[in-house]
């Protein structure tokens, strides 16, 4: 499939989506989000792809929604046909592991997009923020919900109510970013992590992702019960038998993804 706003490629078991609207700092449009959703659907259907990296440019991962596209919309129109929300959650719903590789600005919708990924690897130039308050609106793609879950209520309130940006070091200290690396190394670090994930059993990585996400949607008791049921289910996999046999035999495992 030909794309206009993103570049899509594969490297072994890793799919890579690069946002390609550099002149507008990768501002997110309905076209871009629909193309991201389409690329993810293709990757989800491709059994060879076991992990995805989502990235932008050195200057900007994504500087938010394209305000020119939505500024003149009125309530009934934006409510009934939100041009971005219809495809936005495709990243959050994606079953396979997905990593955000962030350099430069990740603001507004860009910050929300990064938070939909399973974890963020950021360069030292990265800046995160939810500046919607300065436009007379609030975050509309999960910013008020995912940000407190990542960095806590106080920091999230600070960012949402003042619109201030958080630099990469603060983002790492707060837990928004999992790894902080030099700008020139961010993609290689993300690809290295993705290749590592892709080397494991595909059903197991998907189950692991589901189990961690359950921690944010259930009580501790319910979450632990879910984890145990998934753990028990893995003993029906050939990959569990192979992984444990390889450990006992002191050799590398050869997973079959079943």
């Amino acid at each position: 499939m030909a794309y206009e706003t993103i570049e899509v490629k594969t490297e072994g078991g890793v799919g890579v989506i690069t946002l390609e609207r550099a002149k507008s700092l990768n501002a997110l449009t309905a076209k871009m989000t629909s193309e991201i959703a389409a690329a993810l659907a293709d990757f989800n259907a491709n059994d060879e792809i076991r992990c995805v990296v989502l990235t932008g440019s050195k200057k900007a991962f994504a500087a938010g929604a394209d305000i020119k596209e939505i500024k003149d919309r009125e309530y009934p129109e934006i409510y009934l046909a939100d041009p971005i929300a219809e495809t936005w959650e495709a990243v959050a719903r994606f079953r396979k592991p997905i990593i955000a590789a962030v350099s430069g600005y990740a603001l507004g919708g860009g910050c929300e997009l990064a938070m939909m990924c399973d974890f963020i690897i950021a360069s030292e130039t990265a800046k995160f923020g939810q500046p919607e308050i300065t436009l007379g609106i609030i975050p509309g793609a999960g910013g008020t919900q995912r940000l407190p879950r990542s960095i806590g209520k106080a920091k999230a309130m600070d960012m949402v109510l003042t619109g201030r940006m958080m630099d990469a070091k603060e983002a790492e200290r707060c837990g928004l970013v999992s790894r902080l690396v030099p700008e020139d190394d961010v993609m290689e670090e993300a690809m290295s992590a993705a290749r590592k994930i892709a080397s494991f059993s595909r059903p197991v990585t998907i189950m692991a992702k589901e189990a961690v996400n359950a921690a944010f949607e259930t009580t501790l008791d319910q979450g632990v019960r879910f984890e145990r049921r998934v753990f028990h289910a893995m003993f029906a996999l050939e990959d569990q038998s192979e992984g444990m046999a390889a450990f006992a035999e002191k050799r590398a495992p050869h997973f079959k993804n079943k």
Side-chain angles (χ1 to χ4, degrees), residues 149 208-224 226-227:
R149 285 170 167 79
K209 173 174 174 169
E210 290 177 350
V212 173
N213 283 334
F216 296 93
E217 301 165 356
T218 64
T219 65
L220 177 60
D221 183 64
Q222 291 171 327
V224 170
F226 177 80
E227 177 191 78

Side-chain angles (χ1 to χ4, degrees), residues 42-60:
D42 287 343
F43 283 149
N44 192 56
N46 186 344
D47 289 343
E48 298 301 314
I49 299 300
R50 296 170 191 154
C51 188
V52 170
V53 173
L54 177 62
T55 192
S57 67
K58 285 189 175 182
K59 192 170 184 179

Side-chain angles (χ1 to χ4, degrees), residues 123-235:
S123 80
E124 296 167 339
T125 66
K127 294 183 183 297
F128 300 87
Q130 299 290 166
E132 288 88 348
I133 197 85
T134 66
L135 302 177
I137 56 173
I138 68 169
T144 65
Q145 304 303 303
R146 291 189 174 93
L147 197 59
R149 285 170 167 79
S150 295
I151 65 176
K153 177 184 175 181
K155 285 284 188 180
M157 282 289 194
D158 183 3
M159 293 179 69
V160 170
L161 292 178
T162 69
R164 79 172 181 90
M165 287 189 287
M166 174 184 286
D167 65 25
K169 289 183 179 179
E170 184 180 3
E172 184 188 34
R173 288 198 305 271
C174 293
L176 181 61
V177 166
S178 65
R179 306 184 196 181
L180 185 58
V181 298
E183 182 181 57
D184 291 340
D185 298 339
V186 66
M187 268 306 290
E188 180 50 42
E189 187 77 7
M191 289 300 295
S192 177
R195 286 190 290 266
K196 184 71 171 177
I197 292 169
S199 73
F200 300 133
S201 167
R202 186 173 71 250
V204 173
T205 58
I206 292 173
M207 290 177 188
K209 173 174 174 169
E210 290 177 350
V212 173
N213 283 334
F216 296 93
E217 301 165 356
T218 64
T219 65
L220 177 60
D221 183 64
Q222 291 171 327
V224 170
R225 188 178 300 115
F226 177 80
E227 177 191 78
R228 293 299 294 175
R229 294 297 177 263
V230 174
F231 175 78
H232 295 155
M234 288 178 180
F235 283 77

Side-chain angles (χ1 to χ4, degrees), residues 63-89:
D66 192 326
I67 302 304
K68 293 179 182 179
E69 185 177 70
I70 62 174
K71 68 181 182 66
D72 295 325
R73 293 177 182 266
E74 296 183 352
Y75 173 73
E77 183 182 11
I78 199 78
Y79 176 75
L80 294 173
D82 188 329
I84 293 178
E86 292 176 3
T87 53
W88 194 266
E89 289 291 323

